């Protein structure tokens, strides 16, 4: 019985390190994903759930639990407490498997209770009241175990290696002239409110203001907990349909803005040949005192193989602008690699969740109907919800959809 889920779990036992954890949105923090929604939705795509984990998977989970307990014990080691970097590393590793261990402990507790209830049922003999009580308890425990097994399946899915990285977010006005610039500014406002609500840090590291307001282009540096795991779902083309403030005839205009989400990287992730770069300097101009107006502090950097060009004027020294330009270049190059790798993987899997590429139209914001439509989900959300920066539920829906797709494909592969 319940063979599909058992097959999926058996396959998971053969996939790399499994001490991983998914995350979900809460208004003021990032917390382990409440997998109830995903588990309930998953039940519509799989016929039934196994009531008992197979021995191989149970042993695998026991191994994860032992590793978790070892890490927990190390947190009390004076040598660890004296090394802040080591302490943070152990806490981070421990947090990745905490959700798995919590669900597994609860599962094993229910398993022991089920064995007791089954024994009671067998010993009840001809006592109908005792048998009914035992039968009811068995049914309740079996359902709890099935729910926990579904949770474990989600928690043990392979993790995106970039999920725990900080990001750079580039918002670029697209078609629509001044209205596109204004819309890019609106997206910036929403994202900054959302980032602040999570307790993350955000700073503008590059920008080009629009003539009538908004931005032609703006780049944000975002630091926090699992930033990429949330913002990767914002990458793509955002389309707005509304009457611009400058429109005298009341006609609805359609404008776009493109959002690129680039995981933070370093020299270990991307190798940049200095011979592939040409750099020139210039005066920044504008506010900042005599230094930026008389000294060539601005940097114009060109990566010849890709044609990527970055101009940095934010900092008041040439050295800082050069470092910032290189950081932005590496992030853009790494994004190219990530997008290509994900595209290859999705083509191989035949997944339809969306490419995450810059050219993919992901949402339309319709002012007339007060509607925010996510085209990947085929679902509408209140426009006011998005404008108030309550975008966590939209991202949660994308995460749940992606998890369901991964589980479905994994089960199909196992059944071939």
């Amino acid at each position: 019985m319940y063979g599909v889920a058992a097959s999926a779990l058996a396959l998971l036992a053969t996939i790399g390190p499994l001490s991983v954890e998914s995350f979900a949105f809460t208004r003021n923090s990032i917390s382990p994903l409440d997998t109830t929604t995903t588990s309930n939705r998953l039940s519509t795509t799989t016929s039934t759930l196994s009531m008992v984990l197979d021995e191989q998977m149970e042993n695998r989970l026991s191994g994860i639990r032992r590793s978790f307990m070892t890490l927990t014990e190390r947190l009390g080691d004076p040598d660890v407490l004296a090394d802040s970097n080591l302490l943070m590393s152990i806490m981070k590793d421990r947090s990745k498997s905490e959700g798995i261990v919590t669900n597994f402990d609860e599962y094993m507790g229910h398993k022991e209770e089920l064995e007791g209830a089954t024994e009671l049922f067998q010993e009840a003999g001809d006592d109908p009241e005792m048998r009914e009580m035992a039968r009811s308890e068995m049914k309740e425990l079996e359902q709890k175990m099935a729910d926990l097994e579904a949770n474990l399946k989600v928690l043990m899915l392979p993790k995106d290696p970039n999920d725990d990285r900080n990001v750079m977010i580039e918002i670029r006005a697209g078609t629509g002239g001044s209205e596109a610039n204004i819309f890019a500014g609106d997206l910036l406002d929403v994202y900054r409110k959302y980032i602040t609500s999570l307790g993350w840090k955000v700073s503008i590291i590059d920008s080009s203001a629009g003539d009538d307001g908004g931005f032609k282009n703006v780049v944000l540096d975002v630091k926090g907990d699992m930033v990429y795991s949330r913002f990767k779902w914002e990458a793509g083309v955002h389309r707005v349909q509304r009457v611009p403030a400058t429109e005298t005839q009341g006609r609805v205009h359609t404008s776009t803005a493109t959002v690129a989400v680039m995981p933070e990287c370093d020299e270990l992730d991307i190798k940049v040949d200095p011979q592939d770069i040409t750099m020139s300097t210039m005066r920044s101009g504008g506010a900042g005192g005599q230094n930026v107006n008389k000294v060539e502090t601005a940097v114009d950097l060109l990566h010849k193989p890709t044609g990527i060009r970055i101009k940095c004027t934010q900092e008041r020294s040439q050295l800082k602008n050069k470092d910032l330009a290189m950081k932005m270049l590496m992030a853009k190059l790494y994004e190219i690699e990530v997008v290509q790798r994900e595209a290859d993987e999705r083509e191989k899997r035949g997944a339809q969740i969306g490419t995450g590429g810059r050219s993919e139209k992901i949402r339309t914001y319709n002012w007339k109907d007060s509607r925010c439509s996510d085209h990947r989900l085929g679902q509408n959300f209140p426009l006011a919800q998005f404008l108030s920066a309550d975008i966590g539920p939209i991202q949660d829906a994308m995460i749940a959809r992606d998890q369901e797709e991964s589980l479905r494909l994994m089960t199909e592969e196992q059944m071939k």
Side-chain angles (χ1 to χ4, degrees):
M1 66 178 175
Y2 308 108
V4 173
S7 297
L9 281 163
L11 177 62
L12 276 169
T14 66
I15 301 178
L18 293 178
S19 57
V20 297
E21 186 169 352
S22 302
F23 287 80
F25 172 85
T26 58
R27 193 60 187 166
N28 296 308
S29 66
I30 293 296
S31 61
L33 175 63
D34 178 359
T35 54
T36 303
T37 301
T38 302
S39 301
N40 291 341
R41 293 175 62 183
L42 179 62
S43 65
T44 64
T45 59
T46 56
S47 56
T48 49
L49 290 169
S50 168
M51 291 300 176
V52 181
L53 296 172
D54 61 53
E55 184 178 356
Q56 182 183 23
M57 179 52 59
E58 198 168 297
N59 290 339
R60 182 71 175 181
L61 288 164
S62 295
I64 293 174
R65 188 183 187 282
R66 286 193 297 271
S67 298
F68 176 82
M69 296 307 297
T70 299
L71 291 171
T72 302
E73 292 175 3
R74 292 193 67 190
L75 291 177
D77 187 333
D79 292 336
V80 172
L81 295 173
D83 188 336
S84 59
N85 291 330
L86 179 59
L87 177 62
M88 290 297 295
S89 176
I90 292 175
M91 290 178 64
K92 185 176 180 180
D93 289 341
R94 182 182 179 277
S95 69
K96 291 178 180 179
S97 56
E98 185 173 7
I100 294 175
V101 173
T102 299
N103 278 266
F104 180 57
D105 283 348
E106 191 173 349
Y107 179 93
M108 295 304 291
H110 289 326
K111 181 182 179 181
E112 185 175 341
E113 292 174 4
L114 180 60
E115 291 172 353
T118 302
E119 184 177 349
L120 178 64
F121 179 82
Q122 293 171 344
E123 295 175 351
D126 296 331
D127 186 338
E129 185 175 341
M130 185 67 71
R131 289 173 64 87
E132 181 58 32
M133 181 181 69
R135 183 185 292 109
S136 177
E137 184 178 358
M138 290 167 60
K139 183 177 181 180
E140 181 180 349
L141 289 169
E142 287 172 349
Q143 183 57 53
K144 288 181 178 179
M145 291 173 68
D147 292 342
L148 288 167
E149 181 178 342
N151 289 352
L152 286 167
K153 288 166 62 180
V154 173
L155 290 170
M156 294 177 71
L157 285 172
K159 178 177 173 287
D160 185 334
N162 292 316
D163 274 353
D164 59 355
R165 294 180 184 246
N166 296 320
V167 301
M168 286 187 182
I169 302 172
E170 181 183 49
I171 307 172
R172 185 180 294 274
T175 58
S178 296
E179 173 63 10
N181 296 338
I182 295 172
F183 178 50
D186 293 341
L187 289 176
L188 171 64
D189 291 340
V190 168
Y191 289 153
R192 292 177 76 175
K193 290 177 184 176
Y194 176 59
I195 291 166
T196 301
S197 74
L198 294 175
W200 295 344
K201 295 181 179 180
V202 58
S203 59
I204 295 178
I205 59 175
D206 190 28
S207 65
S208 176
D211 296 334
D212 299 315
F215 292 88
K216 297 177 182 177
N217 181 67
V218 60
V219 180
L220 303 177
D221 187 31
V222 186
K223 299 184 183 299
D225 185 20
M226 304 289 290
V227 180
Y228 186 75
S229 71
R230 307 298 306 184
F231 265 102
K232 64 184 177 182
W233 307 112
E234 300 301 311
V237 177
H238 297 244
R239 184 175 68 172
V240 62
Q241 295 175 325
R242 64 185 178 186
V243 178
T246 56
E247 171 58 52
T248 60
Q249 303 297 321
R251 292 173 297 185
V252 174
H253 288 221
T254 298
S255 305
T256 63
T258 300
V259 175
V261 180
M262 299 165 282
E264 186 178 71
C265 64
D266 53 33
E267 291 82 359
L268 297 177
D269 299 306
I270 289 291
K271 301 293 184 182
V272 179
D273 188 341
Q275 295 184 351
D276 290 338
I277 297 174
T278 58
M279 188 187 75
S280 58
T281 60
M282 68 202 79
R283 298 175 185 175
S284 294
Q290 294 184 358
N291 185 63
V292 298
N293 289 293
K294 293 185 176 181
V295 181
E296 293 188 343
T297 59
V299 170
D300 188 358
L301 184 150
L302 174 65
H303 186 246
K304 291 180 285 188
T306 61
I308 294 175
R309 186 172 185 176
I310 298 172
K311 184 183 294 185
C312 277
T313 62
Q314 297 298 111
E315 302 294 341
R316 298 184 62 185
S317 76
Q318 184 184 120
L319 181 59
K320 288 183 178 180
N321 277 323
K322 179 182 177 181
D323 290 342
L324 182 56
M326 285 299 299
K327 181 180 179 181
M328 293 172 65
L329 173 62
M330 287 194 297
K332 286 178 179 287
L333 293 175
Y334 187 64
E335 181 209 14
I336 292 173
E337 285 194 5
V338 170
V339 170
Q340 183 58 53
R341 183 166 62 246
E342 291 180 349
D344 293 342
E345 180 64 22
R346 290 178 186 280
E347 182 179 358
K348 183 169 62 178
R349 296 189 320 174
Q352 298 299 316
I353 191 67
T355 65
R358 297 189 184 202
S359 61
E360 180 188 14
K361 184 178 70 175
I362 65 168
R363 291 197 201 114
T364 294
Y365 308 89
N366 189 298
W367 253 247
K368 179 181 178 182
D369 297 331
S370 299
R371 182 182 68 233
C372 167
S373 302
D374 193 293
H375 304 295
R376 300 160 298 181
L377 294 168
Q379 185 175 350
N380 295 326
F381 298 87
L383 179 62
Q385 174 183 329
F386 179 83
L387 294 178
S388 64
D390 186 14
I391 61 178
I394 304 176
Q395 295 174 344
D396 285 341
M398 286 297 302
I399 291 172
R401 172 80 176 274
D402 187 54
Q403 290 171 340
E404 290 175 21
E405 179 71 8
S406 297
L407 287 166
R408 181 185 66 80
L409 292 169
M410 183 178 61
T411 302
E412 288 179 356
E413 184 66 25
Q414 175 68 9
M415 296 178 67
K416 286 182 179 179

